[in-house]
Amino acid sequence: MSIWIFFKIIGSLALLIYGMKAMSEALQKMAGSQLRHILGTMTKNRFTGMFTGMFVTAAVQSSSATTVMTVSFVNAGLLTLAQAISVIMGANIGTTLTAWIMSLGFSFNFMDAVFPAFIVGILLIYTRRHRYVGDFLFGIAFMFFSLALLSQTGNEMDLGHNKQLIGFFSTFDTGSYATIIVFLLIGTLLTCILQSSAALMAITMMLCSSGVLPIYLGIALVMGENIGTTATANLAALGANTQARRAALAHLVFNVFGVVWVLCVFYPFVNTVCSFVGYDPSSQRLDPARLAVVLAAFHTAFNVCNTAILIWLIPQIEKTVCKIIKPKNKENEDEFRLRYIGGDTIMKTPELSVLEAQKEIQLFAERTQRMFGFVRELLNTDNDAAFNKLFSRIEKYEGISDNMEIEIAKYLDKVSDAHLSDETKAKIRAMLREISEIESIGDSCYNIARTISRKERGKEDFTERQYEHLHQMFELTDDSLTQMNVLLSGRKDKLDANRSFNIENEINNYRNQLRSQNINDVNAHEYTYAIGTMYMDIISECEKLGDYVINVVEARMGTRQKDA
């Protein structure tokens, strides 16, 4: 084989992988957030979960995208482990559509249709309005172009008459289970290296349709591809939480179980699939189009039969992966750690990365409200040792707040480098504003704690009535934080921000009332000017905190209200 033909094969595979990636990402962008909502809501039982996985995978033409999405959802707490397993089963069936599309590429010559598709695609890309349709056309055109190149290269190499290659594969006994297992392992290894089962499927189809590779060995490679393709989800789960790693492992368990039972009935199973397609495995007659269809049919039969068996055993699979992957030690909330965006592997799907960042922002906001709870507790703490311990904890949370803002912003900056839809770009801008305002809430909490500490070090204390007013203001402020967290955790189209704006008005009115009353009380010598200043510092900081909350709400809802 000349170096030119070698580069032609490698280049064709590169075009195929790029075409599949471009087509999948274009479909995801056209679908927008709808696929994520479908995946998050239509998984009430194992059957709806399976059909949802099938639909999403068929829609985006990538089982890797669906499984990474599913792992992300488990990581974010949007799917249970059992729901995720059913979705992954459906994804395995949905991905077989790719094999059927590829078999068309080997059955028909699409070369004449490819170039018009490129022209239409580039025109649509420059129209902006239909650029995702253009991206999709470009992707699918590249895919068929690469398949045509592979088929053409196979013909140029005249593989069917290559005695050395035929002699090499003929040394393997197709009737031996040892040979089948060797080729299965080769398929697994190559898929892990290429990170694309589609590329190896294309090579397998080319070799089988040229008559070089016996169909039994080709099918063994396809079985190996099913195991190798699980590497993507497991890599995506490396930086994720325990449940997400279990979901990724369930994908591996599902495919390994399928390979094991098919190996037990390998020859009868393959012969049955061949008979459905109308192909005789023992025949010496070469039928390239039929052989590509046999591989696609086996891929579908394997995943459908495996799902039909294992869908009833989801609880058992769940127990198995839970035993293999033990839960980590309970997370210390006082330690800085990003829970949802720790791994860069999920960056492969930028639209999903935004969801992960949103979940991290929710956690950020929850931690900030917890910090405010410590501030409220600090006001009522008289014991010096307990006071100092609690104040140190608030200081630590202020550091966590600063770190979370920086790390989430870095992550969003990485995501924004990818080719994103306008909707996703707008979400990232809103999220950057959210984290900046949430960090300011943390600063306000720390400022209130410092004022309380300053009062504690002094000789004077607040009056009983001042304490009542402070508790009332703290209650209103905590209500605003609670409502902010409700808005951050729900779907925007189902949320109402009016409650947040009403609370903000109450805080502003109460601040104004207390400011006037404070001036009168100081003039009436109810308490000293110094204690009145510290008292109003806390009240004013609560009002500022409420403003930051409103800024977060506006960023979340995509609105901007006039300052109260």
Side-chain angles (χ1 to χ4, degrees):
M1 183 172 68
S2 70
I3 192 72
W4 168 246
I5 290 178
F6 172 76
F7 280 125
K8 199 171 180 181
I9 291 173
I10 297 300
S12 299
L13 291 176
L15 280 179
L16 175 67
I17 293 170
Y18 174 76
M20 292 288 295
K21 185 174 184 291
M23 183 175 67
S24 174
E25 288 185 355
L27 286 166
Q28 288 180 62
K29 287 167 187 169
M30 281 192 282
S33 60
Q34 293 308 308
L35 286 179
R36 297 201 296 269
H37 294 323
I38 289 169
L39 198 56
T41 57
M42 292 180 62
T43 51
K44 292 181 180 176
N45 60 57
R46 64 187 75 183
F47 297 104
T48 57
M50 181 195 71
F51 285 115
T52 301
M54 280 175 55
F55 168 76
V56 172
T57 305
V60 301
Q61 277 301 290
S62 173
S63 62
S64 293
T66 306
T67 50
V68 168
M69 199 184 303
T70 305
V71 167
S72 301
F73 274 35
V74 175
N75 189 49
L78 299 178
L79 287 179
T80 65
L81 182 56
Q83 288 173 324
I85 294 170
S86 67
V87 171
I88 289 168
M89 288 180 177
N92 275 31
I93 297 175
T95 194
T96 61
L97 181 61
T98 305
W100 285 105
I101 292 172
M102 292 174 71
S103 70
L104 286 175
F106 280 92
S107 303
F108 304 98
N109 187 359
F110 287 97
M111 190 65 87
D112 294 336
V114 161
F115 295 106
F118 279 133
I119 294 169
V120 174
I122 197 70
L123 290 174
L124 289 173
I125 286 170
Y126 280 102
T127 61
R128 269 189 79 79
R129 185 179 177 186
H130 301 291
R131 68 182 183 277
Y132 302 136
V133 179
D135 285 339
F136 170 74
L137 276 177
F138 239 74
I140 201 164
F142 267 125
M143 181 180 168
F144 281 120
F145 182 60
S146 64
L147 293 173
L149 281 179
L150 276 174
S151 183
Q152 185 183 21
T153 306
N155 292 333
E156 286 177 13
M157 294 169 67
D158 196 18
L159 293 173
H161 296 92
N162 189 319
K163 292 181 180 179
Q164 288 182 323
L165 205 56
I166 292 172
F168 172 75
F169 283 116
S170 64
T171 59
F172 295 98
D173 181 9
T174 56
S176 166
Y177 270 99
T179 302
I180 301 302
I181 291 171
V182 167
F183 273 78
L184 186 151
L185 294 174
I186 291 171
T188 302
L189 182 63
L190 288 176
T191 307
C192 288
I193 293 170
L194 291 172
Q195 280 290 291
S196 172
S197 57
L200 193 56
M201 176 67 84
I203 296 173
T204 307
M205 285 184 173
M206 182 183 76
L207 292 173
C208 286
S209 59
S210 64
V212 173
L213 186 68
I215 192 66
Y216 289 119
L217 302 187
I219 285 175
L221 286 176
V222 172
M223 290 168 66
E225 291 160 18
N226 277 277
I227 297 176
T229 195
T230 63
T232 306
N234 280 280
L235 285 172
L238 286 178
N241 61 24
T242 302
Q243 285 295 82
R245 288 185 290 118
R246 286 170 175 170
L249 180 62
H251 189 204
L252 177 62
V253 169
F254 173 81
N255 282 5
V256 169
F257 178 87
V259 166
V260 169
W261 76 257
V262 168
L263 276 176
C264 295
V265 292
F266 182 75
Y267 295 101
F269 190 83
V270 173
N271 292 338
T272 302
V273 172
C274 288
S275 66
F276 273 116
V277 176
Y279 176 78
D280 182 6
S282 60
S283 172
Q284 298 298 315
R285 185 173 62 85
L286 186 64
D287 188 349
R290 193 63 58 87
L291 282 162
V293 172
V294 168
L295 290 171
F298 172 81
H299 196 209
T300 302
F302 169 82
N303 284 296
V304 169
C305 292
N306 201 26
T307 300
I309 294 168
L310 289 180
I311 198 165
W312 306 102
L313 302 175
I314 287 177
Q316 286 72 24
I317 296 173
E318 188 177 10
K319 286 178 184 175
T320 301
V321 296
C322 287
K323 284 182 181 178
I324 295 171
I325 298 180
K326 303 292 184 184
K328 294 178 181 178
N329 293 330
K330 187 169 176 65
E331 179 185 340
N332 183 357
E333 293 291 352
D334 287 358
E335 295 299 329
F336 170 66
R337 177 181 176 269
L338 295 176
R339 185 180 297 176
Y340 301 113
I341 60 177
D344 286 340
T345 47
I346 296 179
M347 292 291 294
K348 288 180 181 178
T349 318
E351 302 282 338
L352 288 177
S353 301
V354 174
L355 174 71
E356 296 301 301
Q358 185 62 50
K359 292 297 293 184
E360 200 67 65
I361 290 171
Q362 289 173 29
L363 178 64
F364 187 11
E366 288 167 9
R367 274 184 159 170
T368 307
Q369 185 171 14
R370 194 179 305 119
M371 182 182 179
F372 184 72
F374 297 151
V375 172
R376 295 182 70 179
E377 191 180 336
L378 191 72
L379 185 65
N380 299 319
T381 303
D382 296 325
N383 182 276
D384 288 345
F387 186 95
N388 291 333
K389 185 177 179 181
L390 192 56
F391 184 77
S392 297
R393 196 176 188 189
I394 292 168
E395 279 187 314
K396 194 169 189 178
Y397 263 67
E398 207 278 330
I400 291 173
S401 174
D402 292 342
N403 287 331
M404 287 194 78
E405 180 195 16
I406 292 167
E407 292 303 318
I408 296 171
K410 281 181 183 176
Y411 185 80
L412 289 172
D413 187 50
K414 284 183 184 178
V415 176
S416 63
D417 288 339
H419 182 52
L420 301 171
S421 65
D422 291 339
E423 180 190 2
T424 305
K425 287 177 183 175
K427 283 181 182 176
I428 288 175
R429 286 194 296 271
M431 287 179 180
L432 287 168
R433 186 183 173 205
E434 286 171 20
I435 59 173
S436 173
E437 299 297 339
I438 293 171
E439 193 277 332
S440 295
I441 293 172
D443 289 342
S444 283
C445 290
Y446 184 50
N447 289 339
I448 295 170
R450 287 170 61 192
T451 303
I452 295 171
S453 178
R454 198 166 73 246
K455 184 270 300 179
E456 193 70 16
R457 291 195 304 270
K459 295 179 180 178
E460 296 180 88
D461 197 4
F462 296 136
T463 65
E464 188 174 330
R465 193 167 64 163
Q466 282 178 315
Y467 271 114
E468 287 177 9
H469 295 157
L470 287 171
H471 288 314
Q472 180 63 31
M473 179 59 89
F474 280 176
E475 189 66 35
L476 285 171
T477 308
D478 194 57
D479 284 348
S480 71
L481 287 167
T482 300
Q483 190 61 23
M484 176 188 77
N485 280 315
V486 169
L487 294 174
L488 284 174
S489 60
R491 279 188 62 177
K492 192 159 65 174
D493 56 356
K494 295 183 178 177
L495 299 174
D496 182 10
N498 287 329
R499 169 76 177 141
S500 290
F501 293 118
N502 291 339
I503 295 172
E504 168 63 4
N505 286 332
E506 285 186 58
I507 291 173
N508 288 340
N509 293 335
Y510 196 49
R511 185 274 316 267
N512 293 338
Q513 176 190 330
L514 294 180
R515 181 193 286 159
S516 300
Q517 190 174 338
N518 177 64
I519 294 170
N520 295 333
D521 288 345
V522 170
N523 287 335
H525 304 293
E526 295 282 340
Y527 42 79
T528 64
Y529 181 83
I531 204 74
T533 300
M534 286 187 279
Y535 166 68
M536 280 313 300
D537 282 348
I538 295 173
I539 296 296
S540 297
E541 201 64 56
C542 284
E543 192 276 330
K544 275 189 197 176
L545 193 155
D547 288 341
Y548 297 139
V549 167
I550 287 299
N551 291 340
V552 173
V553 170
E554 287 176 352
R556 172 73 177 126
M557 303 301 293
T559 59
R560 185 173 290 277
Q561 299 276 330
K562 290 183 179 179
D563 291 332

